[in-house]
């Protein structure tokens, strides 16, 4: 079926052509001829991403008289972002419709300007319920001339507590109007609205109730709940080209995850209701033009947003109410594209996964989070591809080339490639070489057979606390602090655990004559403590630090990935560099000529030498 057959006017046909829409989507095929020709109420069950906005927008534009300035159509949307998005879409469809004005009315933006726009005459108003009620109370808007009212994402409007506002608004509209209700899910409250506010609505549907889009694959990874964030980073690292939304349950969690990602050098930002409208607009703008790779959002804030090319939707937590799962995942695989929906879950969530499977009528794949080697390999080939595709500015680089060739003349092509790649590879290899298995049941699974416990003859009396001892141990063993956990600092001795595969290397430290405070450091294998293990010391670990600049939009331009510690940081790599900087010679310890390593006790009140070390700063 073609758009022409649907009976749209010439101005709309021209705009559609400009937009490159070739054929109407299934929902459009149903709504456009129906709504353009018949005065009827409508209940439409449609996912966003199915062309829903045009499914109501084109009939509206086909029906209203743009020569009359009265407001003839009102579209209600639950969020400001969606309100702006719908407005912009309608403006595109109305590009050749002379005299037509569409006004967006939403909280957080200047109400005076909105009032002014409405006063000038707007045939279509797109509004969030709260702000529209405000305008009604100020008598700044006249709804008695409305012919059509659209309740978009009706379920969400009810979820958000807009029921009373809807009542106020609907009261202002004439009996004669038609109500078109669009919803991706059909919970009971929406059915009730349909009953209460509509008469004999026509019903159309694109897909079954609450069923997600067909071209989304659903994967879940089971992790321990404390490893959730590490799992997120592992996923982001495994998909260097990721462009996605990370859904969290609360505003606080959203902000926290976004902050951590930003701190860890990822191109990410938060979107939730506690941000000012200005902040929200800016974040959305960056996300829309793909300068932001990961949008961390609440269900409410990201409802209905349509951003092109979203590759992944990540459920950092499964949503409180499982119907939101369809909304979340509907952000990807839009307009015929495919996408991946990922859920990071704990063992306890398995029954909820089953519930969702039933709802979307699709099976999840149980995924295994990639290990360090897999991530390293993926990043390596990403780097190779970047290298292959990089734009060469021949003119600008020309003058440097003779000297560069001269410098490299002793090296074969293979050698040059190897070295060039190693410049990056070494960093991520170092970072990931000891990465733990994050899959629940793997060796990241708190204390299990794969970990061993040790005794060390240093403790509080030597000035150590848990963190500083951990860093000290990391330093003498040349392991990452992450490999040390369950550290119990006692008076003159302590216990710690590490992975069993490292037992020999820890015991071998006894042969190295390491002294602390003129006492030989002694490490012995110890019986395992009975406890659930893990705990605090594991926090803040995992993943790799891209070290990009804060708010580093530019990062995406670099293709993300292992471009860390860029030149804005004076070229110092945060990645692995700590090992070099924190040599024994320039901290408390020093290497003696005999190779004996000595350390001295810190004086009272000193900052713990290892406590707030670079290690702590290294995001893992
Ligand atoms: P929506 O469901 O309204 O959020 O639309 C999802 C995406 O599909 C938007 O980016 C629209 O621009 C696009 N779209 C809508 N209708 C069509 C169509 N008939 N052909 C191709 N793309 C479309």
């Amino acid at each position: 079926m073609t758009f022409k057959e649907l009976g749209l006017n010439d101005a709309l046909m021209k705009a559609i052509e400009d937009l490159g829409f070739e054929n109407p989507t299934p929902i459009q095929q149903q709504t456009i001829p129906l709504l353009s020709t018949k005065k009827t109420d409508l209940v439409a069950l449609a996912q966003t991403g199915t062309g829903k906005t045009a499914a109501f927008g084109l009939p509206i534009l086909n029906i209203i008289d743009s020569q009359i300035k009265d407001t003839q159509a009102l579209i209600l949307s639950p969020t400001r972002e969606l309100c702006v998005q719908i407005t912009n879409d309608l403006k595109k469809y109305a590009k050749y419709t002379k005299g037509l004005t569409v006004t967006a009315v939403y909280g957080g933006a200047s109400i005076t300007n909105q009032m002014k726009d409405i006063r000038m005459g707007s045939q279509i108003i797109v509004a969030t319920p709260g702000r529209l009620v405000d305008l009604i109370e100020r008598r700044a808007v006249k709804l008695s001339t409305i012919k059509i009212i659209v309740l978009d994402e009706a379920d969400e409007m009810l979820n958000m507590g807009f029921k009373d506002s809807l009542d106020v608004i609907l009261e202002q509209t004439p009996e004669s109007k038609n109500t078109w209700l669009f919803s991706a899910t059909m919970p009971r409250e929406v059915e009730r609205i349909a009953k209460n506010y509509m008469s004999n609505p026509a019903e159309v549907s694109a897909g079954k109730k609450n069923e997600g889009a067909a071209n989304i694959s659903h994967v879940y990874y089971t992790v321990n709940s404390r490893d959730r964030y590490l799992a997120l980073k592992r996923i982001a690292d495994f998909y260097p080209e990721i462009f996605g939304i990370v859904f969290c349950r609360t505003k606080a969690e959203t902000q926290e995850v976004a902050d951590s990602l930003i701190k860890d050098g990822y191109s990410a930002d938060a979107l939730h209701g506690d941000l000012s409208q200005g902040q929200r607009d800016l974040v959305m703008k960056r996300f829309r033009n793909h300068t932001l790779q990961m949008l961390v959002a609440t269900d409410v804030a990201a409802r209905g947003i349509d951003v092109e090319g979203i590759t992944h939707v990540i459920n950092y937590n499964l949503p409180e109410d499982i119907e939101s799962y369809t909304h979340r995942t509907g952000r990807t695989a839009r307009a015929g594209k495919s996408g991946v929906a990922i859920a990071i879950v704990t063992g306890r969530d398995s029954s909820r996964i089953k519930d969702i499977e039933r709802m979307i009528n699709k099976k999840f794949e149980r995924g295994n989070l990639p290990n360090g080697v897999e991530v390293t390999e993926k990043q390596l080939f990403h780097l190779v591809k970047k290298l292959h595709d990089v734009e060469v500015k021949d003119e600008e680089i020309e003058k440097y080339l003779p000297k560069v060739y001269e410098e490299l003349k002793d090296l074969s092509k293979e050698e040059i490639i190897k070295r060039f790649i190693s410049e990056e590879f070494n960093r991520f290899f170092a970072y990931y070489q000891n990465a733990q298995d994050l899959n629940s049941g793997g060796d990241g699974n708190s204390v299990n057979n794969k970990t061993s416990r040790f005794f060390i003859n240093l403790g509080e009396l030597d000035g150590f606390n848990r963190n500083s001892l951990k860093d000290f141990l990391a330093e003498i063993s040349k392991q990452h602090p992450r490999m040390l956990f369950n550290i119990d600092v006692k008076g003159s001795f302590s216990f710690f655990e590490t992975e069993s595969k490292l037992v020999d290397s820890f015991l071998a430290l006894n042969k190295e004559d390491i002294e602390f405070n003129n006492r030989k450091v002694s490490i012995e294998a110890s019986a395992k403590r009975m406890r659930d293990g893990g705990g605090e010391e594991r926090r803040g670990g995992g993943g790799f630090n891209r070290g990009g600049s804060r708010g580093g939009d530019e990062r995406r331009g670099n293709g993300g990935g292992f471009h860390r510690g860029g030149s804005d940081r004076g070229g110092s790599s945060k990645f692995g560099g700590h090992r070099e900087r924190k040599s024994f010679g320039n901290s408390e310890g020093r290497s003696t000529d005999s190779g004996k390593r000595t350390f001295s006790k810190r004086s009272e009140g000193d900052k713990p030498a290892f406590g707030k070390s670079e290690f702590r700063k290294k995001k893992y």
Side-chain angles (χ1 to χ4, degrees), residues 324-482:
S324 297
Y325 184 83
T326 324
H327 288 296
R328 288 181 172 189
T329 53
R331 301 309 101 226
T332 183
R334 298 170 79 76
K337 298 213 178 86
S338 60
V340 181
I342 289 175
I344 304 174
V345 302
T346 64
R348 262 183 267 158
D349 290 320
S350 52
S351 68
R352 307 192 68 225
I353 289 284
K354 292 216 170 66
D355 290 344
I356 295 173
E357 284 179 336
R358 265 192 299 276
M359 181 183 76
I360 60 174
N361 198 21
K362 245 186 170 181
K363 281 256 173 265
F364 274 77
E365 177 197 332
R366 184 189 170 130
N368 245 334
L369 278 167
N371 60 30
V373 175
E374 289 165 313
V375 176
T376 308
E377 189 179 309
K378 191 79 179 272
Q379 290 281 353
L380 173 66
F381 287 102
H382 176 60
L383 174 66
V384 171
K385 185 170 181 302
K386 259 170 58 186
L387 196 65
H388 188 270
D389 297 346
V390 71
E391 180 204 355
V392 176
K393 295 192 186 313
D394 281 311
E395 259 179 47
E396 287 79 358
I397 204 157
E398 191 77 42
K399 62 176 182 252
Y400 305 107
L401 289 179
K403 190 145 187 247
V404 172
Y405 292 146
E406 177 63 24
E407 293 271 337
L408 299 177
K409 71 172 188 298
D410 301 336
L411 300 173
S412 68
K413 174 186 162 192
E414 285 70 25
E415 272 299 320
I416 292 175
I417 293 175
K418 210 158 41 174
R419 284 169 196 232
F420 206 86
I421 298 289
S422 294
E423 177 64 24
E424 283 277 292
F425 177 77
N426 292 352
R427 287 205 295 255
F428 49 82
F429 177 75
Y431 187 78
Y432 263 116
Q433 63 178 338
N434 288 324
Q436 62 166 333
D437 179 359
L438 293 175
N439 296 291
S440 171
D443 61 10
N445 189 5
S446 65
V447 179
N448 56 29
N449 296 340
K450 294 179 181 165
T451 65
S452 297
R453 193 160 175 82
F454 294 89
F455 161 93
I456 183 167
N457 63 338
L458 296 174
E460 264 170 20
L461 293 172
D462 302 288
F464 284 104
N465 61 25
R466 191 167 56 174
N467 285 335
S468 56
L469 182 64
K470 178 201 284 207
D471 290 330
F472 174 75
L473 286 166
E475 183 142 357
I476 60 171
S477 66
K478 297 198 167 58
Q479 294 296 331
H480 195 279
R482 203 175 161 66

Side-chain angles (χ1 to χ4, degrees), residues 74-192:
L74 172 65
I75 297 155
L76 294 178
S77 113
T79 67
R80 299 162 183 184
E81 281 74 19
L82 187 57
C83 175
V84 172
Q85 185 177 293
I86 294 171
T87 308
N88 290 337
D89 282 356
L90 292 181
K91 283 182 178 165
K92 283 182 208 150
Y93 308 148
K95 188 171 163 194
Y96 300 107
T97 307
K98 288 213 178 74
L100 190 112
T101 316
V102 189
T103 298
V105 159
Y106 55 98
S110 157
I111 195 165
T112 339
N113 287 348
Q114 292 172 357
M115 283 160 65
K116 210 164 30 180
D117 288 346
I118 293 171
R119 224 178 300 127
M120 307 258 291
S122 265
Q123 292 92 344
I124 305 177
I125 293 178
V126 189
T128 53
R131 174 55 65 95
L132 187 63
V133 168
D134 225 355
L135 290 171
I136 290 172
E137 282 165 359
R138 292 172 188 231
R139 298 183 192 287
V141 63
K142 193 173 121 206
L143 300 182
S144 58
T145 46
I146 293 288
K147 292 184 190 161
I148 296 151
I149 180 164
V150 177
L151 308 177
D152 193 20
E153 304 280 352
D155 52 346
E156 185 60 14
M157 283 199 280
L158 295 174
N159 279 346
M160 289 172 68
F162 282 135
K163 189 177 172 308
D164 292 347
S165 302
L166 285 185
D167 285 338
V168 172
I169 294 163
L170 289 165
E171 235 167 63
Q172 302 287 317
T173 59
E175 280 277 315
S176 58
K177 64 155 190 308
N178 284 127
T179 306
W180 302 345
L181 183 151
F182 281 75
S183 193
T185 61
M186 199 49 67
R188 244 176 245 132
E189 305 91 277
V190 175
E191 283 181 10
R192 215 180 49 227

Side-chain angles (χ1 to χ4, degrees), residues 176-289:
S176 58
K177 64 155 190 308
N178 284 127
T179 306
W180 302 345
L181 183 151
F182 281 75
S183 193
T185 61
M186 199 49 67
R188 244 176 245 132
E189 305 91 277
V190 175
E191 283 181 10
R192 215 180 49 227
I193 280 236
K195 267 207 195 95
N196 291 350
Y197 291 110
M198 298 184 202
S199 61
N200 256 340
E203 285 186 24
V204 296
S205 133
K208 289 206 194 103
K209 277 188 186 182
N210 302 336
E211 195 176 89
N215 40 353
I216 302 177
S217 52
H218 301 261
V219 186
Y220 71 93
Y221 298 107
T222 311
V223 299
N224 293 307
S225 64
R226 64 157 181 266
D227 288 335
R228 223 178 261 286
Y229 178 66
L230 301 188
L232 173 63
K233 296 210 309 181
R234 187 74 59 92
I235 292 163
D237 288 345
F238 192 66
Y239 296 105
E241 301 277 358
I242 193 169
F243 176 59
I245 306 186
V246 180
F247 279 99
C248 297
R249 273 197 195 163
T250 62
K251 293 178 208 166
E253 185 182 64
T254 303
Q255 192 62 54
E256 207 178 293
V257 170
D259 284 348
S260 301
L261 286 172
I262 294 166
K263 199 153 60 82
D264 289 351
Y266 293 83
S267 166
D269 218 333
L271 183 78
H272 57 73
D274 281 351
L275 300 173
S276 72
Q277 191 55 41
Q279 287 170 310
R280 285 168 69 162
D281 290 346
L282 189 65
V283 170
M284 277 313 293
K285 192 167 158 215
R286 289 170 60 216
F287 191 55
R288 276 189 201 289
N289 61 26

Side-chain angles (χ1 to χ4, degrees), residues 36-103:
S36 302
T37 54
K38 192 170 169 223
K39 277 176 73 40
T40 177
D41 285 352
L42 173 84
V43 173
L45 198 65
Q47 283 283 316
T48 40
T50 52
K52 190 157 67 93
T53 316
F56 61 76
L58 293 173
I60 286 180
L61 291 163
N62 220 17
I63 292 167
I64 60 177
D65 184 346
S66 57
Q67 301 312 307
I68 303 174
K69 285 284 175 198
D70 290 344
T71 303
Q72 300 162 52
L74 172 65
I75 297 155
L76 294 178
S77 113
T79 67
R80 299 162 183 184
E81 281 74 19
L82 187 57
C83 175
V84 172
Q85 185 177 293
I86 294 171
T87 308
N88 290 337
D89 282 356
L90 292 181
K91 283 182 178 165
K92 283 182 208 150
Y93 308 148
K95 188 171 163 194
Y96 300 107
T97 307
K98 288 213 178 74
L100 190 112
T101 316
V102 189
T103 298

